[in-house]
Amino acid sequence: MQNKGLIKLFAILFGLVSLYQLSFTFFVNNVEDKAVKYAESKGADKDARQKVTLERKYLDSVANKDVIDLGIASYTYDDVKSKEMNLGLDLKGGINAILQVSVKEVLKSLSNDSKNEAFNNALNAADIKQRNSNENYLDLFFEEFENIAGDTKLSAPSIFGTKALSEKISFNEANETVKETLQEEINSSIITTLEVLRSRIDKFGVASPKIQRIGNSGRIQIELPGAKDIDRVSKLITSKAELQFWEVYTNAEVQNFFFSANTKIAELLKDTSVIEKAVDSTKKDDIDDLLGETKDSTNVNQKNLFTYFYPNVAQSQQQMSSLVGQAKVLDTATVNSLLNRKEVRALLPTNLKYVKFLWDYKSNKSSDGTTELIGLYAIKGNRKGKANIEGDVILDAAQVFDQLNKPEVSMTMNSSGTKQWAKMTTENQGKFVAVVLDNYVYTAPSVNLPITGGRTSISGGSMTIAEAEDIATVLKAGKLPAAARMIQAQVVGPSLGKEAINASFLSFGLAIVLVLLWMILYYGKAGIYADIALVVNILFIFGILASFGAVLTLPGIAGIILTIGMSVDANVIIFERIKEGLFKKKGLKQSVEEGFSVKGALSAIIDANITTLLTGIILYVFGTGPIKGFALTLMIGIATSLFTAVFITRLLIDRSVNKGNNLTFNTSISKGWFQNINVEFLKKRKIAYVISGAIIIAGIVSIFSIGLKQGVDFKGGRSYVVRFEQDMNATEVANTLKDAFGTAPEVKTYGTANQLKITTVYKIDEEGQEVDEEVQNALYKGLKSYLGDTTYENFKPGFEKQGAGVMSSIKVEPTIADDIKTSALYAVFGSLLVVFLYILLRFRKVSFSIGAVIAVFHDVLIVLGVFSITYKFMPFDMEIGQSFIAAILTVVGYSLNDTVVIFDRIREFAGIHSNWKYSEVVDKALSSTLGRTINTSLTTLLVMLAIFLFGGDSIKGFMFALIIGVAVGTYSSLFVATPIMFDTSKKEEKNN
């Protein structure tokens, strides 16, 4: 092998980089473990919400403190947190939601709620059509409008030819041109919604949030791993943007109040300040030291308002500002609490009676760069708490440049807003007004002159383009036609996430140990070399995931474990070829050279990995959420396993050979296994056809009579996993819930006997956050007799569960369920087509493609049949959903992997033994690969059984499908794919 030095250098550097990247995760876990211990020592036993607050308090306190000091470089907690490996919500808990911005409501809003009959009929027709269509809503509306509108145009004054849109849509303009304008307006609404959501979520404090737009559908996907307050998150992402314009007090007007408040707060804190007794006096609590909490009453630093808040004092007219002060980000809650105390509010003079203190929307670094500071504003409130001007008066806003080419914001209001704005700017000339979104101040500029024309420029000497774009986005949020609707949501509680981590890593460790032991048992010293390569492979996979900020999910761990099987497969193929060379007395060095060559094992390994890689790409393109995670780890694993199996193993074996060691590639136990085999497979193909045909027919009959258990992501509905403090009877609970839901929901034991999965379609066609709350409340009332003293707040998903409650939940509306199902079908058939074309390209014979694809159909039908026949009595969830489709596509990839290796050997034998009958070539090729086929399948099945038996409950159905698929795929590559390829080859020859 050439370039050994370069490969060694690359492997060492890659390994060190991987360890470096993974070390951040170790340090983050170390800090967060301390935060948990702190919360447990300070919080009430059953108050999960308080413990989360205390954890956050601890983590905020260390955010800018060094947790790693390497001498040449140091890292704070925030630094290492940004570099840690991201865990998906199925491992960490949290929420994954898809929001729908209603294009219909955008169109109605743009038309000023037009009463035009053709317009409204077209909207209603588009609604109906979209239920069974993946097309863009605007395209459907446009198509329906063209069919029913006659001579009426979209630019008519009664539809979009309104005064508000007069600058964008001309009278009597062609429908196609109007459609382009409408698409721009819709895109603008969606982008604005996206940015408003991003701003809200950034303030929520979740690590590694994911917010992205899905195509042009008007849908936005949000994933918040680690979110525990699910109620708050749901309200945060579904409530309508609240844009307001307020008058502002200057720092000079409120500074006397702050001085008075500081004195009063110092008095109030004398008796109640800072003295917290350590839970365990034997612990010298460095956590308390870190947080500045005193433990000795003789050493108390008296605290006041200015301990946490730094007022912006105006000593002259030039120092007058709308910013009244600043505080550290982690002290904002303390400042809010102190300023809202009734004793402090009582100090407000009459003219400040209704003042509202609001924070800036973003923080800034302190002058020394060590602290995050955030500004405070004093808003002129009123008795009603209603802003002078609301955001619904905004017509448009954009970031533009002034005459000096400096960024500014151009804002236009409607006629009502223009009048209100003129009055407000006239009354506040020389003062300040604030633009407020969701109770955060985005800008508070001074008013130089009254603005009476309805068009306003907002500028500032230091305003950047990004800041101007932010403000424009906020202003446009004021004209959002509706809040985003949650059409799909998956919630996993932190307790279930923690259990999933423990179960997945237990199964992962067991699977690794089984594979390592098997390779040593079967291949001896060569097996140890393969094991070293395997461990390096795992290091590389996790290192890459950490380096690129990829999210590790439960299916992702399954994908890693599957690549372990593939890595073993590559070594098995190589070792079996080396053993063949040794059997033919070619000598160790030559046998190793041939085993690692393209003419030896490399061709088959590359072909097998490419087919699986193609399957992974299809999965990644069509999958969502955890399925993408599975596909990503599968693709990364294919690349790293190929490198480690071919190059790392080769380096180790070459080193041993050059030292003169006698490698045998077997042990005293495995010596002679699968040698001198000569099975006439083709003679048995008719028996195999009958067996396969019978199983497939039985499965098809079951599918059409019994059916398949579709998951909520395919049929729509809500599903809850509820844990109880005692064992439960599923049938009894279903009957109990009949009154709550009108009809009995589907109830099944989920994992342990005290855990149930409850699925219902109750009110799934009704929209709104209040409906979700109503259904959840109905579930609680229906189960109340089984829940003991569990309150509704503790029953809801989120936070750590001490007793009974919802561990996870899924909601999918019927419209998106149809889209998911359609995408899944595209994924399956797309993968089959891609693989058919690749095999045709690679082997140059249609018979090879036909054999491979029919075998794959055979495997898929059998897995479907088994699921249909057994789902009613199996003790775990066997739903047909996205995870099942991922399993099916994985089976497709694995079956093709097996088949391609065999086909590769058939092609090789056909070239070497041209004087043999083709049937003899096929049988000999199958016999020669039998050791590899059984060995690989056995190690893969061992791995999957470990995950199935010891992994989490949520992955059992997925793993069961894989186990059936691998077993059937191994059988089909020997008894279906190859015989069909042989039979179609004979027909090809006759036709030629």
Side-chain angles (χ1 to χ4, degrees), residues 472-493:
T473 297
V474 167
L475 293 169
K476 285 193 286 188
K479 63 164 191 168
L480 285 179
R485 188 177 93 250
M486 197 184 296
I487 59 173
Q488 180 183 350
Q490 180 183 8
V491 175
V492 178

Side-chain angles (χ1 to χ4, degrees), residues 375-631:
L376 186 69
Y377 296 85
I379 304 300
K380 288 186 181 181
N382 52 53
R383 186 190 299 272
K384 295 180 180 178
K386 187 174 174 64
N388 302 61
I389 304 175
E390 300 285 346
D392 56 359
V393 303
I394 302 294
L395 288 178
D396 198 10
Q399 181 268 311
V400 295
F401 294 95
D402 64 13
Q403 293 177 337
L404 299 175
N405 207 33
K406 291 183 177 180
E408 64 177 19
V409 179
S410 174
M411 175 182 71
T412 310
M413 293 183 175
N414 61 21
S415 57
S416 171
T418 298
K419 292 174 185 174
Q420 296 172 45
W421 188 236
K423 182 175 183 292
M424 189 175 183
T425 53
T426 300
E427 292 174 352
N428 286 276
Q429 186 175 350
K431 298 180 182 178
F432 302 90
V433 293
V435 178
V436 177
L437 178 72
D438 295 336
N439 284 323
Y440 284 94
V441 177
Y442 275 72
T443 185
S446 61
V447 180
N448 297 324
L449 295 168
I451 303 167
T452 57
R455 185 180 291 276
T456 306
S457 293
I458 300 173
S459 60
S462 60
M463 182 184 287
T464 65
I465 293 175
E467 288 171 337
E469 287 175 343
D470 283 348
I471 294 166
T473 297
V474 167
L475 293 169
K476 285 193 286 188
K479 63 164 191 168
L480 285 179
R485 188 177 93 250
M486 197 184 296
I487 59 173
Q488 180 183 350
Q490 180 183 8
V491 175
V492 178
S495 301
L496 205 60
K498 192 180 293 182
E499 291 166 12
I501 289 178
N502 295 336
S504 59
F505 279 102
L506 171 65
S507 63
F508 185 80
L510 181 60
I512 296 296
V513 170
L514 287 173
V515 172
L516 296 178
L517 290 175
W518 175 258
M519 289 301 284
I520 295 170
L521 174 70
Y522 196 86
Y523 290 111
K525 193 173 182 180
I528 295 174
Y529 295 149
D531 287 348
I532 293 170
L534 188 59
V535 172
V536 172
N537 180 31
I538 294 166
L539 174 64
F540 284 177
I541 292 172
F542 281 105
I544 291 170
L545 289 171
S547 299
F548 290 97
V551 178
L552 182 65
T553 62
L554 201 55
I557 289 176
I560 292 171
I561 296 175
L562 187 63
T563 61
I564 290 170
M566 295 182 63
S567 180
V568 169
D569 180 42
N571 279 137
V572 167
I573 294 172
I574 292 166
F575 291 174
E576 290 300 316
R577 293 305 290 259
I578 294 172
K579 283 165 70 176
E580 285 178 21
L582 293 173
F583 184 72
K584 294 173 182 175
K585 311 293 185 186
K586 289 186 177 180
L588 181 58
K589 195 163 189 176
Q590 186 181 350
S591 297
V592 168
E593 286 285 347
E594 288 183 0
F596 281 95
S597 69
V598 174
K599 290 184 178 179
L602 197 56
S603 175
I605 291 170
I606 291 171
D607 282 336
N609 278 273
I610 286 176
T611 52
T612 311
L613 180 65
L614 291 171
T615 304
I617 292 169
I618 296 289
L619 260 177
Y620 190 80
V621 170
F622 289 99
T624 57
I627 307 308
K628 274 190 184 290
F630 172 77

Side-chain angles (χ1 to χ4, degrees), residues 722-741:
V722 184
R723 183 171 293 172
F724 301 85
E725 293 184 338
Q726 69 279 350
D727 292 352
M728 301 297 295
N729 182 297
T731 306
E732 180 187 327
V733 171
N735 290 329
T736 303
L737 288 172
K738 190 173 181 180
D739 291 337
F741 293 142

Side-chain angles (χ1 to χ4, degrees), residues 587-865:
L588 181 58
K589 195 163 189 176
Q590 186 181 350
S591 297
V592 168
E593 286 285 347
E594 288 183 0
F596 281 95
S597 69
V598 174
K599 290 184 178 179
L602 197 56
S603 175
I605 291 170
I606 291 171
D607 282 336
N609 278 273
I610 286 176
T611 52
T612 311
L613 180 65
L614 291 171
T615 304
I617 292 169
I618 296 289
L619 260 177
Y620 190 80
V621 170
F622 289 99
T624 57
I627 307 308
K628 274 190 184 290
F630 172 77
L632 182 64
T633 53
L634 186 65
M635 290 188 288
I636 291 170
I638 287 167
T640 57
S641 64
L642 193 61
F643 174 78
T644 55
V646 174
F647 294 109
I648 303 294
T649 310
R650 177 72 185 274
L651 284 172
L652 295 169
I653 287 177
D654 279 356
R655 184 169 176 269
S656 181
V657 171
N658 292 335
K659 280 186 173 183
N661 294 334
N662 185 26
L663 282 174
T664 58
F665 293 88
N666 56 31
T667 64
S668 56
I669 298 171
S670 64
K671 191 173 183 179
W673 288 6
F674 304 112
Q675 289 184 2
N676 299 320
I677 295 173
N678 190 13
V679 180
E680 293 180 328
F681 286 94
L682 293 178
K683 285 188 177 179
K684 299 173 177 60
R685 68 184 188 278
K686 290 182 180 177
I687 298 171
Y689 290 165
V690 170
I691 293 170
S692 294
I695 295 171
I696 288 171
I697 289 168
I700 289 172
V701 169
S702 178
I703 289 168
F704 281 99
S705 56
I706 300 173
L708 291 159
K709 183 186 177 186
Q710 292 189 61
V712 292
D713 48 356
F714 271 17
K715 67 180 180 182
R718 293 179 177 86
S719 185
Y720 304 87
V721 173
V722 184
R723 183 171 293 172
F724 301 85
E725 293 184 338
Q726 69 279 350
D727 292 352
M728 301 297 295
N729 182 297
T731 306
E732 180 187 327
V733 171
N735 290 329
T736 303
L737 288 172
K738 190 173 181 180
D739 291 337
F741 293 142
T743 58
E746 183 183 290
V747 181
K748 188 170 182 177
T749 301
Y750 189 80
T752 55
N754 71 325
Q755 201 163 259
L756 298 176
K757 186 171 188 178
I758 301 167
T759 304
T760 178
V761 292
Y762 178 60
K763 293 200 171 184
I764 195 59
D765 290 319
E766 296 184 27
E767 300 172 1
Q769 183 67 23
E770 63 282 355
V771 178
D772 296 337
E773 184 71 20
E774 184 185 339
V775 175
Q776 192 169 256
N777 199 17
L779 176 68
Y780 172 73
K781 289 178 179 176
L783 295 174
K784 189 73 177 74
S785 58
Y786 305 107
L787 297 174
D789 59 356
T790 302
T791 64
Y792 180 56
E793 282 301 310
N794 290 333
F795 173 78
K796 292 190 289 189
F799 300 111
E800 298 282 350
K801 297 293 180 193
Q802 302 296 326
V806 177
M807 307 303 290
S808 69
S809 66
I810 299 173
K811 168 203 169 183
V812 182
E813 290 191 1
T815 302
I816 195 170
D818 285 338
D819 294 350
I820 292 168
K821 194 188 297 184
T822 304
S823 295
L825 289 173
Y826 284 157
V828 173
F829 287 107
S831 65
L832 291 176
L833 177 62
V834 168
V835 167
F836 178 90
L837 294 173
Y838 176 77
I839 293 176
L840 181 62
L841 180 70
R842 193 72 180 85
F843 292 94
R844 308 285 181 178
K845 282 189 177 182
V846 175
S847 56
F848 282 91
S849 291
I850 291 171
V853 170
I854 288 178
V856 166
F857 266 112
H858 163 277
D859 301 342
V860 170
L861 287 172
I862 288 181
V863 174
L864 284 169

Side-chain angles (χ1 to χ4, degrees), residues 925-968:
L926 284 169
S927 296
S928 70
T929 58
L930 191 60
R932 170 263 159 202
T933 301
I934 293 175
N935 202 348
T936 299
S937 298
L938 187 61
T939 51
T940 307
L941 284 169
L942 278 173
V943 167
M944 290 178 175
L945 281 168
I947 310 171
F948 177 74
L949 294 172
F950 300 101
D953 296 322
S954 62
I955 207 169
K956 283 194 185 296
F958 176 74
M959 294 313 303
F960 183 71
L962 287 180
I963 289 167
I964 298 298
V966 167
V968 173

